[in-house]
Each structure stands twice: as C-alpha cells, then as structure tokens.
Amino acid sequence: MTLLGKTVHITADLILVATCLAGIRRNTGLTPNLRYVKNDSIRDYTARYLKFGESCYDYSVAKIGASKYFSRK
C-alpha cells in the first residue's frame, strides 16, 4: 500500500472514531475528560478533533433523516 493509500485509510478511520465518540456522547452523555491531559496543545487538538466528530455526526444524521430509506419511530 502506498503512503497516500495509508494516509487516506488512517484519515477515514480517525473520522469514524470521532463520529462514533460523538454518537456515544449524544446518546449517553459520556465524554472524554480532557482535564487530565497535561499538554495544552494536545488538549486543544483533542477538543478540535471531538468537535469535528460532532459536526460529522450532525451532518450524517441530517442526510440520513432526509433519506426516504430511513424512518423515525
């Protein structure tokens, strides 16, 4: 696998993990506790990563909600 292929694969995996964490947060209220991260820049990047997952989750729910293949119960 080329370097570009690996980069795309890892990026897709990171997006899926962020979206999954957003779904867990929305359904259960559980979220990572960032107070224990010592480095400020790592804490900032982690918070941005989690916010990106929230936006991916919102976009996915909006697209699926507008689809005729899904219905709400």
Side-chain angles (χ1 to χ4, degrees):
M1 187 180 277
T2 65
L3 181 62
L4 180 62
K6 286 182 183 181
T7 303
V8 169
H9 179 75
I10 290 172
T11 302
D13 286 346
L14 287 172
I15 291 170
L16 287 173
V17 168
T19 307
C20 181
L21 288 173
I24 291 171
R25 181 176 177 267
R26 293 280 175 95
N27 290 321
T28 65
L30 296 172
T31 185
N33 190 356
L34 299 180
R35 289 186 303 169
Y36 293 108
V37 177
K38 303 290 187 211
N39 192 337
D40 289 337
S41 62
I42 293 175
R43 187 181 314 126
D44 183 47
Y45 285 123
T46 305
R48 283 193 223 173
Y49 173 70
L50 293 173
K51 286 182 184 180
F52 177 73
E54 291 279 336
S55 64
C56 289
Y57 181 81
D58 290 337
Y59 178 78
S60 299
V61 169
K63 283 302 229 185
I64 290 172
S67 172
K68 66 180 181 180
Y69 299 109
F70 292 89
S71 64
R72 296 190 187 269
K73 287 188 177 184

